[in-house]
Amino acid sequence: MIYTIVKYGDPVLEKRAEPVTVFDDELKKLVDDMFECMYAAHGVGLAAPQIGISRRLAVIDVTFKEDPEAKLVLVNPEIIHTEGRHSQNEGCLSVPDFRENVTRPRKVSIRAQDVNGKFYEKTGEELLARAFLHETDHLNGKLYMSHLSALKRDLMKRKIRKLMKAGEW
């Protein structure tokens, strides 16, 4: 099932998501649906709040289907280590058609659970590190625009409000 991706302005994107406590077939189905939705939207990551579900769950595939082993499910993830700095153009499925240069740590380690509830740790660099941080931000009620300067963030929000008024958002 492909969900509609909620856009900036929806309150679910601005609140901390609830922890996942039940690891069952319903969760597995949701994960499958999230991958399907993410691929349909041409993304490399998707957090449950982006489809209107306030749960600490995200999916990532920085290879975009090229390497099935690269598919990651992050349940209740936490950032446990960061190092370095890396600037790159970043966008978000919930803020379509907007991209900005964002500086984030180059290397990131996370601790999360898989779809069966088993804990694991994983370290990623550059794009995978960025995806870990971006999706974890979503689960904490933050969007990537919070990492921009106040001026850039304000300009982006003004453009979005203009699109909302015009009914194009």
Side-chain angles (χ1 to χ4, degrees), residues 58-90:
V59 296
I60 294 173
D61 180 359
V62 294
T63 73
F64 196 78
K65 297 195 244 186
E66 287 182 22
D67 179 4
E69 299 296 312
K71 287 174 69 170
L72 293 171
V73 176
L74 311 177
V75 181
N76 302 320
E78 294 187 33
I79 304 299
I80 56 173
H81 179 75
T82 64
E83 63 183 71
R85 303 300 287 160
H86 179 244
S87 292
Q88 186 175 339
N89 202 271
E90 191 169 325

mmCIF file of all heavy atoms in Angstrom, residues 58-90:
data_model
loop_
_atom_site.group_PDB
_atom_site.id
_atom_site.type_symbol
_atom_site.label_atom_id
_atom_site.label_comp_id
_atom_site.label_asym_id
_atom_site.label_seq_id
_atom_site.Cartn_x
_atom_site.Cartn_y
_atom_site.Cartn_z
ATOM 1 N N ALA A 58 11.616 4.015 10.898
ATOM 2 C CA ALA A 58 12.073 4.584 9.630
ATOM 3 C C ALA A 58 12.668 3.477 8.774
ATOM 4 O O ALA A 58 13.128 2.453 9.293
ATOM 5 C CB ALA A 58 13.111 5.683 9.869
ATOM 6 N N VAL A 59 12.636 3.706 7.467
ATOM 7 C CA VAL A 59 13.279 2.792 6.524
ATOM 8 C C VAL A 59 14.266 3.596 5.689
ATOM 9 O O VAL A 59 14.047 4.772 5.413
ATOM 10 C CB VAL A 59 12.250 2.063 5.620
ATOM 11 C CG1 VAL A 59 11.347 1.172 6.464
ATOM 12 C CG2 VAL A 59 11.438 3.031 4.786
ATOM 13 N N ILE A 60 15.359 2.934 5.301
ATOM 14 C CA ILE A 60 16.413 3.591 4.520
ATOM 15 C C ILE A 60 16.941 2.610 3.482
ATOM 16 O O ILE A 60 17.128 1.427 3.773
ATOM 17 C CB ILE A 60 17.585 4.042 5.428
ATOM 18 C CG1 ILE A 60 17.140 5.147 6.388
ATOM 19 C CG2 ILE A 60 18.783 4.507 4.597
ATOM 20 C CD1 ILE A 60 18.190 5.530 7.431
ATOM 21 N N ASP A 61 17.184 3.125 2.287
ATOM 22 C CA ASP A 61 17.915 2.382 1.261
ATOM 23 C C ASP A 61 18.647 3.406 0.402
ATOM 24 O O ASP A 61 18.084 3.948 -0.548
ATOM 25 C CB ASP A 61 16.986 1.519 0.401
ATOM 26 C CG ASP A 61 17.740 0.743 -0.676
ATOM 27 O OD1 ASP A 61 18.984 0.879 -0.770
ATOM 28 O OD2 ASP A 61 17.082 -0.002 -1.431
ATOM 29 N N VAL A 62 19.900 3.680 0.750
ATOM 30 C CA VAL A 62 20.665 4.702 0.021
ATOM 31 C C VAL A 62 21.085 4.218 -1.365
ATOM 32 O O VAL A 62 21.550 5.007 -2.180
ATOM 33 C CB VAL A 62 21.896 5.211 0.820
ATOM 34 C CG1 VAL A 62 21.451 5.953 2.075
ATOM 35 C CG2 VAL A 62 22.855 4.082 1.145
ATOM 36 N N THR A 63 20.883 2.909 -1.660
ATOM 37 C CA THR A 63 21.207 2.395 -3.002
ATOM 38 C C THR A 63 19.990 2.443 -3.927
ATOM 39 O O THR A 63 20.095 2.128 -5.109
ATOM 40 C CB THR A 63 21.710 0.935 -2.954
ATOM 41 O OG1 THR A 63 20.622 0.051 -2.666
ATOM 42 C CG2 THR A 63 22.838 0.768 -1.958
ATOM 43 N N PHE A 64 18.838 2.799 -3.400
ATOM 44 C CA PHE A 64 17.579 2.839 -4.135
ATOM 45 C C PHE A 64 17.361 1.558 -4.951
ATOM 46 O O PHE A 64 17.335 1.555 -6.173
ATOM 47 C CB PHE A 64 17.475 4.081 -5.032
ATOM 48 C CG PHE A 64 16.060 4.342 -5.484
ATOM 49 C CD1 PHE A 64 15.157 4.926 -4.628
ATOM 50 C CD2 PHE A 64 15.631 3.955 -6.739
ATOM 51 C CE1 PHE A 64 13.834 5.137 -5.030
ATOM 52 C CE2 PHE A 64 14.318 4.156 -7.145
ATOM 53 C CZ PHE A 64 13.423 4.754 -6.285
ATOM 54 N N LYS A 65 17.255 0.444 -4.248
ATOM 55 C CA LYS A 65 16.936 -0.882 -4.780
ATOM 56 C C LYS A 65 18.092 -1.598 -5.479
ATOM 57 O O LYS A 65 17.927 -2.708 -5.950
ATOM 58 C CB LYS A 65 15.748 -0.845 -5.745
ATOM 59 C CG LYS A 65 14.446 -0.420 -5.146
ATOM 60 C CD LYS A 65 13.319 -0.781 -6.079
ATOM 61 C CE LYS A 65 12.633 0.439 -6.582
ATOM 62 N NZ LYS A 65 11.469 0.180 -7.379
ATOM 63 N N GLU A 66 19.258 -0.971 -5.599
ATOM 64 C CA GLU A 66 20.375 -1.618 -6.289
ATOM 65 C C GLU A 66 20.990 -2.746 -5.469
ATOM 66 O O GLU A 66 21.490 -3.709 -6.030
ATOM 67 C CB GLU A 66 21.451 -0.591 -6.657
ATOM 68 C CG GLU A 66 21.034 0.307 -7.800
ATOM 69 C CD GLU A 66 22.121 1.297 -8.182
ATOM 70 O OE1 GLU A 66 23.309 1.047 -7.892
ATOM 71 O OE2 GLU A 66 21.766 2.320 -8.779
ATOM 72 N N ASP A 67 20.971 -2.619 -4.144
ATOM 73 C CA ASP A 67 21.555 -3.636 -3.279
ATOM 74 C C ASP A 67 20.532 -4.015 -2.202
ATOM 75 O O ASP A 67 20.354 -3.276 -1.233
ATOM 76 C CB ASP A 67 22.843 -3.099 -2.625
ATOM 77 C CG ASP A 67 23.483 -4.108 -1.682
ATOM 78 O OD1 ASP A 67 22.995 -5.262 -1.575
ATOM 79 O OD2 ASP A 67 24.486 -3.737 -1.048
ATOM 80 N N PRO A 68 19.854 -5.160 -2.371
ATOM 81 C CA PRO A 68 18.835 -5.564 -1.385
ATOM 82 C C PRO A 68 19.374 -5.658 0.045
ATOM 83 O O PRO A 68 18.628 -5.485 1.005
ATOM 84 C CB PRO A 68 18.382 -6.941 -1.882
ATOM 85 C CG PRO A 68 18.771 -6.989 -3.319
ATOM 86 C CD PRO A 68 19.985 -6.113 -3.459
ATOM 87 N N GLU A 69 20.680 -5.911 0.186
ATOM 88 C CA GLU A 69 21.292 -6.001 1.519
ATOM 89 C C GLU A 69 21.397 -4.634 2.195
ATOM 90 O O GLU A 69 21.631 -4.549 3.388
ATOM 91 C CB GLU A 69 22.692 -6.618 1.410
ATOM 92 C CG GLU A 69 22.716 -8.021 0.835
ATOM 93 C CD GLU A 69 21.998 -9.023 1.720
ATOM 94 O OE1 GLU A 69 22.263 -9.028 2.942
ATOM 95 O OE2 GLU A 69 21.167 -9.779 1.188
ATOM 96 N N ALA A 70 21.243 -3.566 1.414
ATOM 97 C CA ALA A 70 21.389 -2.211 1.948
ATOM 98 C C ALA A 70 20.102 -1.688 2.594
ATOM 99 O O ALA A 70 20.114 -0.641 3.228
ATOM 100 C CB ALA A 70 21.839 -1.252 0.847
ATOM 101 N N LYS A 71 19.000 -2.416 2.432
ATOM 102 C CA LYS A 71 17.735 -1.979 3.040
ATOM 103 C C LYS A 71 17.845 -2.048 4.559
ATOM 104 O O LYS A 71 18.231 -3.072 5.104
ATOM 105 C CB LYS A 71 16.586 -2.866 2.568
ATOM 106 C CG LYS A 71 16.180 -2.636 1.139
ATOM 107 C CD LYS A 71 15.150 -3.639 0.668
ATOM 108 C CE LYS A 71 13.811 -3.478 1.320
ATOM 109 N NZ LYS A 71 12.755 -4.309 0.684
ATOM 110 N N LEU A 72 17.533 -0.941 5.211
ATOM 111 C CA LEU A 72 17.616 -0.876 6.668
ATOM 112 C C LEU A 72 16.272 -0.490 7.268
ATOM 113 O O LEU A 72 15.585 0.396 6.755
ATOM 114 C CB LEU A 72 18.650 0.166 7.098
ATOM 115 C CG LEU A 72 20.101 -0.139 6.780
ATOM 116 C CD1 LEU A 72 20.970 1.078 7.056
ATOM 117 C CD2 LEU A 72 20.582 -1.323 7.604
ATOM 118 N N VAL A 73 15.943 -1.144 8.353
ATOM 119 C CA VAL A 73 14.759 -0.809 9.137
ATOM 120 C C VAL A 73 15.266 -0.302 10.476
ATOM 121 O O VAL A 73 16.032 -0.987 11.157
ATOM 122 C CB VAL A 73 13.847 -2.038 9.335
ATOM 123 C CG1 VAL A 73 12.664 -1.682 10.235
ATOM 124 C CG2 VAL A 73 13.370 -2.577 7.989
ATOM 125 N N LEU A 74 14.856 0.901 10.836
ATOM 126 C CA LEU A 74 15.266 1.500 12.108
ATOM 127 C C LEU A 74 14.040 1.611 13.007
ATOM 128 O O LEU A 74 13.162 2.424 12.755
ATOM 129 C CB LEU A 74 15.850 2.893 11.897
ATOM 130 C CG LEU A 74 16.919 3.093 10.832
ATOM 131 C CD1 LEU A 74 17.308 4.564 10.755
ATOM 132 C CD2 LEU A 74 18.123 2.244 11.126
ATOM 133 N N VAL A 75 13.988 0.807 14.037
ATOM 134 C CA VAL A 75 12.910 0.880 15.013
ATOM 135 C C VAL A 75 13.508 1.444 16.294
ATOM 136 O O VAL A 75 14.532 0.958 16.775
ATOM 137 C CB VAL A 75 12.277 -0.511 15.269
ATOM 138 C CG1 VAL A 75 11.137 -0.395 16.269
ATOM 139 C CG2 VAL A 75 11.791 -1.142 13.970
ATOM 140 N N ASN A 76 12.900 2.488 16.805
ATOM 141 C CA ASN A 76 13.361 3.169 18.028
ATOM 142 C C ASN A 76 14.853 3.525 17.960
ATOM 143 O O ASN A 76 15.609 3.260 18.903
ATOM 144 C CB ASN A 76 13.083 2.302 19.263
ATOM 145 C CG ASN A 76 11.616 1.956 19.412
ATOM 146 O OD1 ASN A 76 10.746 2.783 19.179
ATOM 147 N ND2 ASN A 76 11.332 0.721 19.783
ATOM 148 N N PRO A 77 15.308 4.130 16.840
ATOM 149 C CA PRO A 77 16.743 4.404 16.703
ATOM 150 C C PRO A 77 17.229 5.539 17.592
ATOM 151 O O PRO A 77 16.477 6.452 17.924
ATOM 152 C CB PRO A 77 16.872 4.802 15.232
ATOM 153 C CG PRO A 77 15.561 5.435 14.919
ATOM 154 C CD PRO A 77 14.547 4.638 15.701
ATOM 155 N N GLU A 78 18.504 5.435 17.953
ATOM 156 C CA GLU A 78 19.172 6.490 18.702
ATOM 157 C C GLU A 78 20.559 6.689 18.119
ATOM 158 O O GLU A 78 21.251 5.714 17.819
ATOM 159 C CB GLU A 78 19.291 6.114 20.182
ATOM 160 C CG GLU A 78 17.947 6.028 20.875
ATOM 161 C CD GLU A 78 18.104 5.834 22.374
ATOM 162 O OE1 GLU A 78 19.076 6.362 22.949
ATOM 163 O OE2 GLU A 78 17.247 5.155 22.944
ATOM 164 N N ILE A 79 20.953 7.947 17.986
ATOM 165 C CA ILE A 79 22.302 8.269 17.534
ATOM 166 C C ILE A 79 23.230 8.056 18.732
ATOM 167 O O ILE A 79 23.000 8.625 19.798
ATOM 168 C CB ILE A 79 22.399 9.732 17.045
ATOM 169 C CG1 ILE A 79 21.367 10.012 15.941
ATOM 170 C CG2 ILE A 79 23.820 10.063 16.603
ATOM 171 C CD1 ILE A 79 21.499 9.201 14.693
ATOM 172 N N ILE A 80 24.265 7.224 18.564
ATOM 173 C CA ILE A 80 25.165 6.969 19.695
ATOM 174 C C ILE A 80 26.557 7.563 19.498
ATOM 175 O O ILE A 80 27.315 7.669 20.444
ATOM 176 C CB ILE A 80 25.261 5.460 20.011
ATOM 177 C CG1 ILE A 80 25.708 4.646 18.793
ATOM 178 C CG2 ILE A 80 23.931 4.946 20.550
ATOM 179 C CD1 ILE A 80 25.970 3.180 19.087
ATOM 180 N N HIS A 81 26.889 7.957 18.252
ATOM 181 C CA HIS A 81 28.205 8.566 18.020
ATOM 182 C C HIS A 81 28.182 9.326 16.693
ATOM 183 O O HIS A 81 27.579 8.877 15.729
ATOM 184 C CB HIS A 81 29.286 7.482 17.966
ATOM 185 C CG HIS A 81 30.654 8.031 17.710
ATOM 186 N ND1 HIS A 81 31.382 8.677 18.674
ATOM 187 C CD2 HIS A 81 31.414 8.061 16.583
ATOM 188 C CE1 HIS A 81 32.547 9.077 18.159
ATOM 189 N NE2 HIS A 81 32.581 8.712 16.888
ATOM 190 N N THR A 82 28.832 10.480 16.688
ATOM 191 C CA THR A 82 29.016 11.234 15.444
ATOM 192 C C THR A 82 30.447 11.741 15.402
ATOM 193 O O THR A 82 31.070 11.950 16.447
ATOM 194 C CB THR A 82 28.065 12.450 15.342
ATOM 195 O OG1 THR A 82 28.370 13.378 16.379
ATOM 196 C CG2 THR A 82 26.606 12.039 15.429
ATOM 197 N N GLU A 83 30.947 11.922 14.174
ATOM 198 C CA GLU A 83 32.270 12.548 14.040
ATOM 199 C C GLU A 83 32.393 13.194 12.672
ATOM 200 O O GLU A 83 31.735 12.794 11.706
ATOM 201 C CB GLU A 83 33.405 11.548 14.279
ATOM 202 C CG GLU A 83 33.503 10.409 13.316
ATOM 203 C CD GLU A 83 34.617 9.434 13.689
ATOM 204 O OE1 GLU A 83 34.469 8.710 14.698
ATOM 205 O OE2 GLU A 83 35.620 9.408 12.965
ATOM 206 N N GLY A 84 33.253 14.216 12.613
ATOM 207 C CA GLY A 84 33.521 14.914 11.362
ATOM 208 C C GLY A 84 32.392 15.843 10.954
ATOM 209 O O GLY A 84 31.394 15.994 11.658
ATOM 210 N N ARG A 85 32.594 16.480 9.820
ATOM 211 C CA ARG A 85 31.596 17.399 9.258
ATOM 212 C C ARG A 85 31.536 17.139 7.763
ATOM 213 O O ARG A 85 32.547 16.845 7.121
ATOM 214 C CB ARG A 85 31.966 18.869 9.488
ATOM 215 C CG ARG A 85 32.172 19.277 10.935
ATOM 216 C CD ARG A 85 30.994 19.104 11.851
ATOM 217 N NE ARG A 85 29.936 20.059 11.646
ATOM 218 C CZ ARG A 85 28.689 19.869 12.052
ATOM 219 N NH1 ARG A 85 28.357 18.755 12.653
ATOM 220 N NH2 ARG A 85 27.772 20.760 11.855
ATOM 221 N N HIS A 86 30.336 17.287 7.198
ATOM 222 C CA HIS A 86 30.138 17.042 5.775
ATOM 223 C C HIS A 86 28.961 17.893 5.320
ATOM 224 O O HIS A 86 27.898 17.846 5.920
ATOM 225 C CB HIS A 86 29.857 15.543 5.564
ATOM 226 C CG HIS A 86 29.619 15.167 4.154
ATOM 227 N ND1 HIS A 86 28.423 14.665 3.718
ATOM 228 C CD2 HIS A 86 30.433 15.208 3.066
ATOM 229 C CE1 HIS A 86 28.510 14.409 2.419
ATOM 230 N NE2 HIS A 86 29.713 14.727 2.013
ATOM 231 N N SER A 87 29.171 18.690 4.280
ATOM 232 C CA SER A 87 28.087 19.509 3.721
ATOM 233 C C SER A 87 27.629 18.907 2.410
ATOM 234 O O SER A 87 28.447 18.487 1.589
ATOM 235 C CB SER A 87 28.563 20.944 3.479
ATOM 236 O OG SER A 87 28.808 21.577 4.703
ATOM 237 N N GLN A 88 26.317 18.845 2.243
ATOM 238 C CA GLN A 88 25.749 18.277 1.032
ATOM 239 C C GLN A 88 24.349 18.834 0.832
ATOM 240 O O GLN A 88 23.663 19.176 1.785
ATOM 241 C CB GLN A 88 25.704 16.750 1.142
ATOM 242 C CG GLN A 88 25.270 16.050 -0.112
ATOM 243 C CD GLN A 88 25.364 14.532 0.031
ATOM 244 O OE1 GLN A 88 26.078 14.016 0.878
ATOM 245 N NE2 GLN A 88 24.633 13.827 -0.802
ATOM 246 N N ASN A 89 23.932 18.861 -0.406
ATOM 247 C CA ASN A 89 22.581 19.273 -0.746
ATOM 248 C C ASN A 89 21.618 18.238 -0.176
ATOM 249 O O ASN A 89 21.846 17.043 -0.324
ATOM 250 C CB ASN A 89 22.488 19.347 -2.276
ATOM 251 C CG ASN A 89 21.372 20.241 -2.722
ATOM 252 O OD1 ASN A 89 20.259 19.776 -2.881
ATOM 253 N ND2 ASN A 89 21.679 21.510 -2.906
ATOM 254 N N GLU A 90 20.578 18.702 0.496
ATOM 255 C CA GLU A 90 19.640 17.789 1.146
ATOM 256 C C GLU A 90 18.217 18.225 0.848
ATOM 257 O O GLU A 90 17.917 19.400 0.743
ATOM 258 C CB GLU A 90 19.895 17.814 2.665
ATOM 259 C CG GLU A 90 19.191 16.743 3.423
ATOM 260 C CD GLU A 90 19.679 16.632 4.871
ATOM 261 O OE1 GLU A 90 20.889 16.842 5.132
ATOM 262 O OE2 GLU A 90 18.844 16.322 5.734
#
